Amino acid sequence: MNQYEPSLALTNALLIDGTGGPVIDGATVVVSGSRIAAAGTDVLVSPHARVVDLAGKALLPGLIDAHVHLGGLGFRSTPPFGGRAATDDYAAAREGALRYGVTTQRSLGDFLHDSIAVRDGIESGTLAGARVVTSGPSFQVEGGHPNATVWGSEPAAVREGARMPKSAEEAERMVGELAATGVDLVKIIISNNAIFGPARPELKMPWHLTDAIVDAAHAHGLRVAAHTETVEDARAAVERGVDDIEHLVLRAQEPQDEAAAEELFALMADRGTYLVPTMVAHQFEASADGDARTLRYGNHLIRRAYEAGVRLGVGSDAHSPGLHGWKLRDELVMMVHDQGIPAPAALSMATRTNAELLGIADRLGTVEPGKFADLLIVSGNPAQDITAIGHIHQVIRDGRVVFKGAGA
Ligand SMILES: [Zn+2]
């Protein structure tokens, strides 16, 4: 690097750097190429830099959504393309996310070859969109969700989107094959209660298979995300060494044993297990089903997890066209307004904590020299009023402006 390298200087910004430290007024962030070169209040700006005055605007790390599906419920109408050159495919998920300041998404249950093609296409620059970290398919039980629900057991979809081992040996082999194909982590769906109810206990992932999957994943250096829907299942999954719990509870459930939840949170805080609540998915279900009670109970539980010191990630479970990014904004608003989590903490969770959860904190998640310049610029101060996170001015990914809001 030399002083003549073209650079961009973003000046007079309210800097919310993602570290959880104090908001810095009047900050300058210098971007050189795809990286952040400097950030703070005493930054020298080269006379060759292009200067953009951000008075009245806040500058943050690009948001990270820790739980999405690139195809999700559209799977039935969008057959897997099996790795052929991705063009318009998944455009809503890829580019929709950027419009709301989400610059990285973790895909937790998608078609194997599609999600890897999309991830790699975005990384190499042949596709526009937010960066992708992917589990590829998810481990699930035959007859459960989503193989029997979303895809109606359609063979091509199941082959790409599901792994349904019948034995520990088969589970181990499947994890090895996924690792060789290049997935970033492993996803297990443990509970199926929200759809099938506790009346179908045979649809729960057998614990000996969970053990085999977790051990094999860790042997390959892959983390394990576990979809659970009861406090009891989450507890057993945490004890078996999964790295994060997705959802924790889902719709149509009665409040569970308060003391058991407290024990779970103490265990998670102690072990450093992450929790990604995806409460906005409940909101969606609540409006559909009128089950606002589950939503209230879920918000209460997440508040208690926060107070217990559980590492909270932020995910939206976005899965329908047009919803990527937008749903993460709503998740953040719910965390602050309905769970009572302070806005600066929530913003740090959606940036730094999520980067740690995704294993990319060495290069993303905070505004610090050396990190990739994935940046979100909004009007107003979201550390004071979280709804400002939706007032998008500009979104920068890899040092380049990838979206401009109205008036930008
Ligand atoms: Zn999901």
Side-chain angles (χ1 to χ4, degrees):
M1 193 189 303
N2 63 61
Q3 61 177 321
Y4 299 108
E5 182 167 333
S7 59
L8 169 67
L10 304 162
T11 63
N12 285 321
L14 186 73
L15 177 60
I16 303 170
D17 66 9
T19 64
V23 167
I24 303 164
D25 209 355
T28 296
V29 172
V30 175
V31 174
S32 183
S34 62
R35 303 270 183 170
I36 296 162
T41 47
D42 56 350
V43 171
L44 283 178
V45 175
S46 152
H48 304 282
R50 187 164 65 86
V51 176
V52 176
D53 188 331
L54 294 182
K57 309 218 163 39
L59 190 154
L60 308 89
L63 302 175
I64 298 172
D65 192 333
H67 187 139
V68 306
H69 303 277
L70 299 172
L73 299 182
F75 279 178
R76 205 193 273 281
S77 55
T78 311
F81 65 78
R84 72 169 186 268
T87 52
D88 289 337
D89 302 273
Y90 299 95
R94 289 187 282 111
E95 299 181 62
L98 288 178
R99 300 172 63 87
Y100 295 94
V102 173
T103 51
T104 302
Q105 310 189 87
R106 185 171 66 153
S107 133
L108 288 183
D110 272 302
F111 293 148
L112 175 59
H113 293 95
D114 287 15
S115 63
I116 286 182
V118 169
R119 178 194 70 189
D120 294 349
I122 289 168
E123 208 54 47
S124 69
T126 58
L127 287 178
R131 298 172 198 274
V132 169
V133 167
T134 184
S135 70
S138 47
F139 282 85
Q140 54 202 256
V141 293
E142 196 158 2
H145 179 68
N147 59 78
T149 50
V150 177
W151 308 318
S153 300
E154 199 271 310
V158 169
R159 189 167 55 244
E160 282 290 311
R163 289 296 177 273
M164 302 180 291
K166 299 291 183 297
S167 68
E169 295 70 33
E170 197 180 9
E172 197 177 319
R173 178 176 58 74
M174 287 174 166
V175 171
E177 286 166 0
L178 289 178
T181 310
V183 302
D184 301 299
L185 77 154
V186 164
K187 162 90 181 284
I188 312 178
I189 296 175
I190 288 174
S191 318
N192 275 278
N193 302 53
I195 295 169
F196 300 99
R200 299 281 305 277
E202 76 278 13
L203 291 182
K204 188 149 94 180
M205 179 68 74
W207 290 114
H208 74 282
L209 295 184
T210 294
D211 284 337
I213 295 163
V214 170
D215 290 350
H218 287 167
H220 286 282
L222 301 176
R223 294 186 185 180
V224 179
H227 163 132
T228 68
E229 301 175 17
T230 68
V231 168
E232 190 190 355
D233 285 349
R235 167 92 194 223
V238 170
E239 285 172 342
R240 284 170 156 80
V242 306
D243 300 281
D244 76 273
I245 295 293
E246 300 295 313
H247 312 303
L248 181 60
V249 295
L250 273 177
R251 70 190 160 110
Q253 287 181 331
E254 295 300 316
Q256 297 164 47
D257 186 347
E258 204 57 37
E262 295 296 337
E263 276 178 35
L264 168 67
F265 297 146
L267 182 69
M268 291 179 77
D270 189 46
R271 296 184 63 128
T273 314
Y274 293 86
L275 172 61
V276 180
T278 70
M279 289 304 299
V280 73
H282 298 251
Q283 187 180 42
F284 176 72
E285 304 289 2
S287 60
D289 295 337
D291 194 358
R293 190 178 46 173
T294 302
L295 189 63
R296 276 200 304 277
Y297 170 60
N299 280 327
H300 162 73
L301 268 193
I302 303 316
R303 168 78 197 176
R304 296 296 303 124
Y306 171 69
E307 289 168 349
V310 175
R311 291 181 183 178
L312 284 173
V314 188
S316 71
D317 212 355
H319 49 53
S320 301
L323 293 180
H324 289 79
W326 174 83
K327 286 186 81 174
L328 191 75
R329 178 198 63 182
D330 277 12
E331 182 78 13
L332 281 166
V333 172
M334 283 183 81
M335 290 172 77
V336 176
H337 289 178
D338 300 332
Q339 295 158 24
I341 293 172
L347 291 169
S348 187
M349 291 167 190
T351 53
R352 184 184 64 178
T353 306
N354 272 358
E356 290 165 355
L357 168 62
L358 271 60
I360 55 175
D362 59 331
R363 53 199 186 276
L364 291 160
T366 56
V367 181
E368 292 177 299
K371 300 248 171 130
F372 281 113
D374 284 15
L375 304 169
L376 167 60
I377 300 162
V378 298
S379 302
N381 181 357
Q384 264 171 13
D385 172 8
I386 191 65
T387 63
I389 202 69
H391 301 152
I392 308 291
H393 178 68
Q394 280 190 8
V395 181
I396 294 173
R397 215 215 82 193
D398 243 357
R400 290 195 305 272
V401 176
V402 288
F403 181 73
K404 285 186 179 183

CSV table of all heavy atoms in Angstrom, one decimal, residues 79-87 89 113-114 117:
chain,number,residue,atom,x,y,z
A,79,PRO,N,-37.0,-25.5,-8.7
A,79,PRO,CA,-36.2,-26.8,-8.6
A,79,PRO,C,-34.7,-26.5,-8.5
A,79,PRO,O,-34.3,-25.5,-9.0
A,79,PRO,CB,-36.6,-27.5,-9.9
A,79,PRO,CG,-37.1,-26.5,-10.8
A,79,PRO,CD,-37.7,-25.4,-9.9
A,80,PRO,N,-34.0,-27.4,-7.8
A,80,PRO,CA,-32.6,-27.1,-7.7
A,80,PRO,C,-31.9,-27.0,-9.0
A,80,PRO,O,-32.2,-27.8,-9.9
A,80,PRO,CB,-32.1,-28.4,-6.9
A,80,PRO,CG,-33.2,-29.4,-7.1
A,80,PRO,CD,-34.4,-28.6,-7.2
A,81,PHE,N,-30.9,-26.1,-9.2
A,81,PHE,CA,-30.2,-26.0,-10.4
A,81,PHE,C,-28.9,-26.8,-10.4
A,81,PHE,O,-28.2,-26.8,-11.4
A,81,PHE,CB,-30.1,-24.6,-10.9
A,81,PHE,CG,-29.2,-23.7,-10.1
A,81,PHE,CD1,-27.8,-23.7,-10.1
A,81,PHE,CD2,-29.8,-22.8,-9.2
A,81,PHE,CE1,-27.0,-22.9,-9.4
A,81,PHE,CE2,-29.0,-21.9,-8.5
A,81,PHE,CZ,-27.6,-22.0,-8.5
A,82,GLY,N,-28.6,-27.4,-9.3
A,82,GLY,CA,-27.5,-28.3,-9.2
A,82,GLY,C,-26.2,-27.8,-9.6
A,82,GLY,O,-25.4,-28.5,-10.2
A,83,GLY,N,-25.9,-26.5,-9.3
A,83,GLY,CA,-24.6,-26.0,-9.5
A,83,GLY,C,-24.3,-25.4,-10.9
A,83,GLY,O,-23.2,-25.0,-11.2
A,84,ARG,N,-25.3,-25.4,-11.8
A,84,ARG,CA,-25.1,-24.7,-13.1
A,84,ARG,C,-24.9,-23.2,-12.8
A,84,ARG,O,-25.2,-22.8,-11.7
A,84,ARG,CB,-26.3,-24.9,-14.0
A,84,ARG,CG,-27.5,-24.1,-13.6
A,84,ARG,CD,-28.6,-24.1,-14.7
A,84,ARG,NE,-29.7,-23.3,-14.4
A,84,ARG,CZ,-30.8,-23.6,-13.7
A,84,ARG,NH1,-30.9,-24.9,-13.3
A,84,ARG,NH2,-31.7,-22.8,-13.4
A,85,ALA,N,-24.3,-22.5,-13.7
A,85,ALA,CA,-24.0,-21.1,-13.5
A,85,ALA,C,-25.2,-20.3,-13.0
A,85,ALA,O,-26.2,-20.3,-13.7
A,85,ALA,CB,-23.5,-20.5,-14.8
A,86,ALA,N,-25.1,-19.8,-11.8
A,86,ALA,CA,-26.2,-19.1,-11.2
A,86,ALA,C,-26.3,-17.7,-11.9
A,86,ALA,O,-25.4,-16.9,-11.9
A,86,ALA,CB,-26.0,-18.9,-9.7
A,87,THR,N,-27.5,-17.4,-12.4
A,87,THR,CA,-27.6,-16.0,-13.0
A,87,THR,C,-28.7,-15.3,-12.2
A,87,THR,O,-28.4,-14.6,-11.3
A,87,THR,CB,-28.1,-16.2,-14.5
A,87,THR,OG1,-29.2,-17.1,-14.6
A,87,THR,CG2,-26.9,-16.7,-15.3
A,89,ASP,N,-30.9,-16.8,-10.5
A,89,ASP,CA,-31.4,-17.6,-9.4
A,89,ASP,C,-31.0,-17.0,-8.1
A,89,ASP,O,-29.9,-16.5,-7.9
A,89,ASP,CB,-30.8,-19.0,-9.6
A,89,ASP,CG,-31.2,-19.6,-10.9
A,89,ASP,OD1,-32.2,-20.2,-10.9
A,89,ASP,OD2,-30.4,-19.4,-11.9
A,113,HIS,N,-25.5,-27.9,-3.9
A,113,HIS,CA,-24.7,-27.3,-4.9
A,113,HIS,C,-25.1,-25.9,-5.3
A,113,HIS,O,-24.3,-25.1,-5.6
A,113,HIS,CB,-24.7,-28.2,-6.1
A,113,HIS,CG,-24.0,-29.5,-5.9
A,113,HIS,ND1,-24.7,-30.7,-5.5
A,113,HIS,CD2,-22.7,-29.9,-5.9
A,113,HIS,CE1,-23.9,-31.7,-5.2
A,113,HIS,NE2,-22.6,-31.2,-5.5
A,114,ASP,N,-26.4,-25.6,-5.1
A,114,ASP,CA,-26.8,-24.2,-5.3
A,114,ASP,C,-26.2,-23.2,-4.4
A,114,ASP,O,-25.6,-22.2,-4.7
A,114,ASP,CB,-28.3,-24.1,-5.2
A,114,ASP,CG,-29.1,-24.7,-6.3
A,114,ASP,OD1,-28.5,-25.4,-7.1
A,114,ASP,OD2,-30.3,-24.4,-6.4
A,117,ALA,N,-22.6,-22.7,-5.1
A,117,ALA,CA,-22.4,-21.9,-6.3
A,117,ALA,C,-22.7,-20.5,-6.0
A,117,ALA,O,-21.9,-19.6,-6.5
A,117,ALA,CB,-23.3,-22.5,-7.4
